[in-house]
Structures are given as structure tokens and as C-alpha cells.
Amino acid sequence: HYGVKTGFNKAFVIDDKTRTSLIEEDSNSSGIINRLAVGDDIRKWCIKDKSRWLIVTPIGINIKEYPAIFKHLQQWQRELEKRSDKGHYWWELRACSYYTAFSQPKIIYPVMAQNARFTFDNNGTFTNDKAFIIPVYDLYLLGVLNSIHVWNYLESACSELLGKSLELRSIYMNKVPIPKASEIEQKVISKLVQKCLDAKGVGCEAWEKEIDIRVAKLYGFDDNYALN
């Protein structure tokens, strides 16, 4: 799934200070303020904390239950009314059938990247339109996606942009071949992935190399290729 498009980030994307202020003014505000990750925040095995938050006002929300949020958004009412991608009312975000997917365990990756930057989130983080989410709890899949072999495949399949970034659109990602693996092999790779996640990508070279070797064998590559 694509991340959320607000049509006017200035109103809906807030920092720690503004979030704290809104919650202090009305505790209900916390219910519709979610952590936000943009494309540049998403790295291999981790999300860089930039203290960004997203005010999530889906179609049908009773804005009267969130007076502090409503007051905050009113600062930009004129601009919000002009949006072409709003809900039924100016304070609502555009229609989206998968808002609940952001609260689920999920794999996250940026739209553009120069290297493998897939990670896992179980904290209800939302993303903007510079990132995609795969709402599954599958650390084996995450390990395969972060392997050198998938990145080599993507380099040959994806459009290349300026700066040698790849455009990881769904038309390319949907075609990534995921190798079949036994339950035991999936568990081994998943445990290695969990170690990388726990370390937030720091000092993971040995675990990553082992993931690459194991994934290479699943793809049927020879040992020499696996070690490159």
C-alpha cells in the first residue's frame, strides 16, 4: 500500500512540541495522532526517528470529539478547503480503504532508494506517499527483500533515477520472485533478521552475510555467487 497523501502537509504533519501541546490541551488528541515516517527516514532494519507525527482524520470522523485538533486545523481552513484530494469535509483526509493496515505489523520501504532499505514496524507508524507498506508479519520475507540477491534483481528490473536511485514501484516489487523455504529455514533466517532489527542495523555485517548465503541457496545460486 501507498503511504498517506494529505494534500497539505503543513496542517497534518506536526512535530513533538505541537503534539505535546495538542494533547495537553485535550487528551483525546492522542487518539488520532500517529507517528509518521517519510521515505528518507526508512533505512535497512530501522526507521530513523525524526519525531514526525501525523494527524489522521479519516472520512466520517467526529471532529467535535477533538476540539484541540479542530482548532489547530482551522489555521489552514482556506487551504484545506481548496484541496482536490480531501474527504467530505475540509478537515478530513482523502478516502483510504486501508487506514487500519498502518496499525498492523508491516514491512516498510521507501519509494526511491540507492540500496536495500526494507524494515519492519510494529508500532503503528504511518508513512507518507514517499513510502510503501506490506502489512504482514513476515521476517523471512523481510530477510529475502534485504538480501543482496533481491537488490541485484531490482537493479536490473527497476527504473533508475538521477543519483542512481531505484524507483521501487509496485509494478516492479510485485514481480520479485520469493524463494520457497522449509519452515526450519524460514525460522533460521527470521532469527537472523530479528537480530538485525534489534541492533537497528548497527554491526550486522556477519548476520547479513549469513542471510545472503542462505537466501542464495534458496534461489539455487552456487556457493561462489552466495559469498560475493
Side-chain angles (χ1 to χ4, degrees), residues 134-150:
I134 306 173
V136 294
Y137 196 140
D138 192 337
L139 299 188
Y140 165 71
L141 175 60
L142 177 58
V144 172
L145 292 175
N146 266 333
S147 71
I148 185 63
H149 315 296
V150 165

Side-chain angles (χ1 to χ4, degrees), residues 84-207:
S84 60
D85 55 354
K86 61 179 181 294
H88 300 316
Y89 300 98
W90 61 264
W91 58 80
E92 294 178 339
L93 294 174
R94 61 187 292 174
C96 178
S97 62
Y98 53 86
Y99 276 123
T100 56
F102 290 100
S103 64
Q104 299 173 20
K106 57 190 177 292
I107 293 171
I108 300 181
Y109 61 98
V111 172
M112 296 182 292
Q114 293 184 3
N115 45 59
R117 282 165 49 188
F118 298 86
T119 191
F120 179 75
D121 175 73
N122 198 18
N123 297 312
T125 302
F126 275 66
T127 62
N128 71 345
D129 59 346
K130 302 302 181 183
F132 289 106
I133 67 168
I134 306 173
V136 294
Y137 196 140
D138 192 337
L139 299 188
Y140 165 71
L141 175 60
L142 177 58
V144 172
L145 292 175
N146 266 333
S147 71
I148 185 63
H149 315 296
V150 165
W151 189 254
N152 288 341
Y153 169 84
L154 290 172
E155 284 185 320
S156 65
C158 295
S159 297
E160 186 174 295
L161 304 175
L162 292 176
K164 296 187 177 180
S165 292
L166 299 185
E167 193 173 20
L168 306 179
R169 301 287 179 181
S170 59
I171 56 172
Y172 309 119
M173 293 301 300
N174 286 343
K175 297 177 182 178
V176 174
I178 305 301
K180 293 181 179 180
S182 67
E183 185 176 347
I184 292 175
E185 190 63 32
Q186 288 189 40
K187 285 183 177 179
V188 171
I189 291 175
S190 294
K191 287 182 178 179
L192 291 166
V193 168
Q194 188 62 64
K195 290 180 179 180
C196 294
L197 292 171
D198 292 341
K200 298 185 183 301
V202 178
C204 298
E205 292 80 9
W207 299 325

